[in-house]
PDB file of all heavy atoms in Angstrom:
ATOM      1  N   LEU V  52     -26.374  15.018  -7.311  1.00 97.00           N
ATOM      2  CA  LEU V  52     -26.452  13.573  -7.575  1.00 97.00           C
ATOM      3  C   LEU V  52     -26.804  13.268  -9.015  1.00 97.00           C
ATOM      4  O   LEU V  52     -26.193  12.391  -9.645  1.00 97.00           O
ATOM      5  CB  LEU V  52     -27.511  12.943  -6.661  1.00 97.00           C
ATOM      6  CG  LEU V  52     -27.029  12.499  -5.285  1.00 97.00           C
ATOM      7  CD1 LEU V  52     -28.213  12.009  -4.455  1.00 97.00           C
ATOM      8  CD2 LEU V  52     -25.986  11.388  -5.426  1.00 97.00           C
ATOM      9  N   LEU V  58     -22.107  12.217 -15.273  1.00 98.00           N
ATOM     10  CA  LEU V  58     -20.652  12.059 -15.369  1.00 98.00           C
ATOM     11  C   LEU V  58     -20.267  10.579 -15.436  1.00 98.00           C
ATOM     12  O   LEU V  58     -19.464  10.159 -16.267  1.00 98.00           O
ATOM     13  CB  LEU V  58     -19.953  12.724 -14.171  1.00 98.00           C
ATOM     14  CG  LEU V  58     -19.952  14.259 -14.146  1.00 98.00           C
ATOM     15  CD1 LEU V  58     -19.347  14.777 -12.837  1.00 98.00           C
ATOM     16  CD2 LEU V  58     -19.171  14.840 -15.332  1.00 98.00           C
ATOM     17  N   GLU V  60     -21.957   8.092 -16.429  1.00 97.00           N
ATOM     18  CA  GLU V  60     -22.352   7.443 -17.677  1.00 97.00           C
ATOM     19  C   GLU V  60     -21.393   7.737 -18.818  1.00 97.00           C
ATOM     20  O   GLU V  60     -21.191   6.914 -19.705  1.00 97.00           O
ATOM     21  CB  GLU V  60     -23.731   7.975 -18.094  1.00 97.00           C
ATOM     22  CG  GLU V  60     -24.837   6.973 -17.927  1.00 97.00           C
ATOM     23  CD  GLU V  60     -26.172   7.688 -18.070  1.00 97.00           C
ATOM     24  OE1 GLU V  60     -26.413   8.275 -19.151  1.00 97.00           O
ATOM     25  OE2 GLU V  60     -26.941   7.667 -17.087  1.00 97.00           O
ATOM     26  N   VAL V  76      18.772   2.734  -3.646  1.00 84.00           N
ATOM     27  CA  VAL V  76      19.353   3.187  -2.376  1.00 84.00           C
ATOM     28  C   VAL V  76      19.257   4.702  -2.200  1.00 84.00           C
ATOM     29  O   VAL V  76      19.100   5.202  -1.093  1.00 84.00           O
ATOM     30  CB  VAL V  76      20.824   2.727  -2.209  1.00 84.00           C
ATOM     31  CG1 VAL V  76      20.880   1.260  -1.869  1.00 84.00           C
ATOM     32  CG2 VAL V  76      21.635   3.024  -3.464  1.00 84.00           C
ATOM     33  N   TYR V  99      16.121  15.657  -5.885  1.00 92.00           N
ATOM     34  CA  TYR V  99      17.190  16.662  -5.874  1.00 92.00           C
ATOM     35  C   TYR V  99      17.138  17.408  -4.555  1.00 92.00           C
ATOM     36  O   TYR V  99      16.131  17.359  -3.846  1.00 92.00           O
ATOM     37  CB  TYR V  99      16.970  17.668  -7.006  1.00 92.00           C
ATOM     38  CG  TYR V  99      17.117  17.114  -8.394  1.00 92.00           C
ATOM     39  CD1 TYR V  99      16.019  16.599  -9.080  1.00 92.00           C
ATOM     40  CD2 TYR V  99      18.348  17.128  -9.040  1.00 92.00           C
ATOM     41  CE1 TYR V  99      16.143  16.108 -10.370  1.00 92.00           C
ATOM     42  CE2 TYR V  99      18.482  16.640 -10.331  1.00 92.00           C
ATOM     43  CZ  TYR V  99      17.380  16.130 -10.989  1.00 92.00           C
ATOM     44  OH  TYR V  99      17.508  15.651 -12.257  1.00 92.00           O
ATOM     45  N   VAL V 107       8.640  11.880 -17.159  1.00 98.00           N
ATOM     46  CA  VAL V 107       7.445  11.280 -17.760  1.00 98.00           C
ATOM     47  C   VAL V 107       7.736  10.851 -19.200  1.00 98.00           C
ATOM     48  O   VAL V 107       8.434  11.554 -19.934  1.00 98.00           O
ATOM     49  CB  VAL V 107       6.311  12.338 -17.716  1.00 98.00           C
ATOM     50  CG1 VAL V 107       5.133  11.958 -18.576  1.00 98.00           C
ATOM     51  CG2 VAL V 107       5.864  12.574 -16.279  1.00 98.00           C
ATOM     52  N   PRO V 187      -3.779  26.387 -12.223  1.00 97.00           N
ATOM     53  CA  PRO V 187      -3.972  26.632 -10.778  1.00 97.00           C
ATOM     54  C   PRO V 187      -5.037  25.724 -10.164  1.00 97.00           C
ATOM     55  O   PRO V 187      -4.929  25.375  -8.996  1.00 97.00           O
ATOM     56  CB  PRO V 187      -4.420  28.092 -10.717  1.00 97.00           C
ATOM     57  CG  PRO V 187      -3.995  28.690 -12.008  1.00 97.00           C
ATOM     58  CD  PRO V 187      -3.968  27.595 -13.017  1.00 97.00           C
ATOM     59  N   ASN V 239      19.062  14.171 -37.630  1.00 98.00           N
ATOM     60  CA  ASN V 239      19.935  15.203 -38.190  1.00 98.00           C
ATOM     61  C   ASN V 239      19.942  15.199 -39.722  1.00 98.00           C
ATOM     62  O   ASN V 239      20.277  16.197 -40.346  1.00 98.00           O
ATOM     63  CB  ASN V 239      21.355  15.053 -37.649  1.00 98.00           C
ATOM     64  CG  ASN V 239      22.140  16.347 -37.728  1.00 98.00           C
ATOM     65  OD1 ASN V 239      21.762  17.331 -37.087  1.00 98.00           O
ATOM     66  ND2 ASN V 239      23.189  16.377 -38.540  1.00 98.00           N
ATOM     67  N   GLU V 266      21.360  19.466 -23.998  1.00 98.00           N
ATOM     68  CA  GLU V 266      21.784  18.208 -23.384  1.00 98.00           C
ATOM     69  C   GLU V 266      22.862  17.603 -24.281  1.00 98.00           C
ATOM     70  O   GLU V 266      22.737  17.597 -25.505  1.00 98.00           O
ATOM     71  CB  GLU V 266      20.605  17.247 -23.282  1.00 98.00           C
ATOM     72  CG  GLU V 266      19.513  17.762 -22.370  1.00 98.00           C
ATOM     73  CD  GLU V 266      18.259  16.942 -22.534  1.00 98.00           C
ATOM     74  OE1 GLU V 266      17.458  17.279 -23.404  1.00 98.00           O
ATOM     75  OE2 GLU V 266      18.090  15.961 -21.813  1.00 98.00           O
ATOM     76  N   ILE V 314      35.204  14.317 -19.066  1.00 97.00           N
ATOM     77  CA  ILE V 314      33.964  15.044 -18.772  1.00 97.00           C
ATOM     78  C   ILE V 314      34.294  16.355 -18.051  1.00 97.00           C
ATOM     79  O   ILE V 314      33.795  17.424 -18.402  1.00 97.00           O
ATOM     80  CB  ILE V 314      32.995  14.170 -17.939  1.00 97.00           C
ATOM     81  CG1 ILE V 314      32.602  12.920 -18.739  1.00 97.00           C
ATOM     82  CG2 ILE V 314      31.757  14.973 -17.545  1.00 97.00           C
ATOM     83  CD1 ILE V 314      31.689  11.950 -17.995  1.00 97.00           C
ATOM     84  N   PHE V 315      35.186  16.276 -17.064  1.00 97.00           N
ATOM     85  CA  PHE V 315      35.556  17.490 -16.311  1.00 97.00           C
ATOM     86  C   PHE V 315      36.262  18.498 -17.218  1.00 97.00           C
ATOM     87  O   PHE V 315      35.999  19.696 -17.150  1.00 97.00           O
ATOM     88  CB  PHE V 315      36.458  17.140 -15.117  1.00 97.00           C
ATOM     89  CG  PHE V 315      35.765  16.317 -14.066  1.00 97.00           C
ATOM     90  CD1 PHE V 315      36.430  15.270 -13.418  1.00 97.00           C
ATOM     91  CD2 PHE V 315      34.441  16.578 -13.709  1.00 97.00           C
ATOM     92  CE1 PHE V 315      35.785  14.507 -12.445  1.00 97.00           C
ATOM     93  CE2 PHE V 315      33.796  15.819 -12.742  1.00 97.00           C
ATOM     94  CZ  PHE V 315      34.469  14.780 -12.114  1.00 97.00           C
ATOM     95  N   ILE V 326      30.491  29.717 -21.474  1.00 98.00           N
ATOM     96  CA  ILE V 326      29.232  28.980 -21.633  1.00 98.00           C
ATOM     97  C   ILE V 326      29.018  28.138 -20.393  1.00 98.00           C
ATOM     98  O   ILE V 326      29.829  27.260 -20.068  1.00 98.00           O
ATOM     99  CB  ILE V 326      29.259  28.120 -22.912  1.00 98.00           C
ATOM    100  CG1 ILE V 326      29.181  29.058 -24.114  1.00 98.00           C
ATOM    101  CG2 ILE V 326      28.098  27.123 -22.929  1.00 98.00           C
ATOM    102  CD1 ILE V 326      29.278  28.380 -25.439  1.00 98.00           C
TER     103      ILE V 326
END
Side-chain angles (χ1 to χ4, degrees):
L52 273 175
L58 288 174
E60 252 168 60
V76 285
Y99 293 91
V107 167
N239 203 63
E266 296 168 272
I314 298 178
F315 294 140
I326 289 176

